[in-house]
Amino acid sequence: MIKRSTLRAQLAGALRDEILAGRLPAGSHFTVKEIAEQYGVSATPVREALVDLAAQGLLDVEQHRGFRVHEFTVDDYRSMVKARMAVLDGLFHSYFTADGPVPMLTLDDAVLASVRRRAEAAVRAARAGDLDVLIGYDLRYWRELGEVIGNRYISDFLDRLRVQCWVCSVPCLRSDPDLVNRLWSGHRELADALEREDMEETRRIMSDYHRHALALADKASGFGP
């Protein structure tokens, strides 16, 4: 029997994927009853899952009406990217401390191997223009990388920002005929630079990552109001 807390997490994950995939576009309205019927479950775990997604900034609670997928603006996207930049740059700066970087190779080999697998899969998806696959691996890659060189609280915050950034950019990206060239694919290079303890290369790759993210804001019409 599936525990309610597990079902709650599964529902939240499934609905988050629907939002990321654009199948629940910005502004979409729905009720707890509608989602419960769609997934064939009771209302309680659905309501809990929707409240969790609202806490993550993906849904708005509409009094007596249900929930609505949050509509982000271009300014929202830019602000989230800049917040992510500030935290990531601080995170990598602390990694390369005055006493030398944290020796990644002495950390859990299984975690490092997983980061590399995520990197390889994300790069393949980006180069193939497979947006749905890329999003999944990109989120896992950054979360695991953040856990290797940061802490859980920072990782949770960055994960929330990254999900919101993807939600913002997906409509724009899906309508882009040059999608492949719009997708960042530096995951493997970043992991390599960190493993080599190469501060300059890490900073160069991160600067490219930030510029790439902000360049998407130029396609403002794809981000909604």
Side-chain angles (χ1 to χ4, degrees):
M1 180 177 180
I2 298 176
K3 294 181 179 178
R4 199 179 80 184
S5 60
T6 303
L7 182 57
R8 169 183 182 169
Q10 290 176 340
L11 287 166
L15 290 167
R16 190 187 74 168
D17 288 346
E18 291 289 296
I19 294 170
L20 283 167
R23 290 186 289 270
L24 277 177
S28 299
H29 295 262
F30 50 82
T31 64
V32 170
K33 181 181 179 181
E34 289 170 344
I35 299 298
E37 290 176 350
Q38 178 182 339
Y39 285 93
V41 296
S42 65
T44 299
V46 169
R47 184 177 296 104
E48 293 170 340
L50 295 177
V51 169
D52 288 344
L53 291 176
Q56 295 170 28
L58 299 182
L59 299 179
D60 297 324
V61 180
E62 298 193 313
Q63 195 69 21
H64 305 304
R65 293 187 59 192
F67 294 81
R68 179 174 61 89
V69 178
H70 185 75
E71 298 182 71
F72 293 99
T73 67
V74 178
D75 286 341
D76 288 333
Y77 175 76
R78 287 197 182 96
S79 295
M80 286 187 288
V81 170
K82 289 177 180 178
R84 190 178 71 189
M85 286 169 57
V87 177
L88 276 174
D89 288 347
L91 186 64
F92 285 113
H93 176 75
S94 65
Y95 172 74
F96 293 105
T97 63
D99 297 325
V102 177
M104 290 185 69
L105 293 178
T106 65
L107 297 179
D108 191 324
D109 289 340
V111 174
L112 295 176
S114 182
V115 168
R116 285 211 162 277
R117 287 195 300 272
R118 308 297 190 200
E120 294 291 343
V123 170
R124 287 196 300 271
R127 292 178 177 174
D130 193 332
L131 189 57
D132 291 332
V133 173
L134 171 60
I135 291 172
Y137 280 112
D138 179 80
L139 290 172
R140 294 185 188 99
Y141 167 85
W142 283 105
R143 185 167 188 90
E144 290 183 6
L145 189 62
E147 290 172 352
V148 168
I149 63 175
N151 66 57
R152 180 170 59 85
Y153 298 99
I154 292 176
S155 182
D156 287 347
F157 175 70
L158 287 172
D159 189 59
R160 171 177 170 153
L161 280 179
R162 193 161 286 107
V163 169
Q164 291 180 344
C165 285
W166 272 121
V167 170
C168 286
S169 60
V170 160
C172 177
L173 290 168
R174 289 196 188 282
S175 64
D176 195 326
D178 193 27
L179 175 63
V180 171
N181 291 321
R182 295 286 181 186
L183 301 176
W184 187 77
S185 59
H187 306 76
R188 183 171 52 222
E189 287 79 4
L190 178 59
D192 289 344
L194 286 168
E195 191 169 320
R196 294 194 309 268
E197 302 177 357
D198 189 334
M199 178 176 65
E200 289 189 7
E201 181 67 1
T202 297
R203 287 176 174 170
R204 183 196 67 76
I205 294 169
M206 290 308 301
S207 293
D208 176 70
Y209 177 62
H210 298 328
R211 285 194 302 271
H212 183 275
L214 287 172
L216 289 176
D218 293 336
K219 295 178 69 63
S221 61
F223 288 91

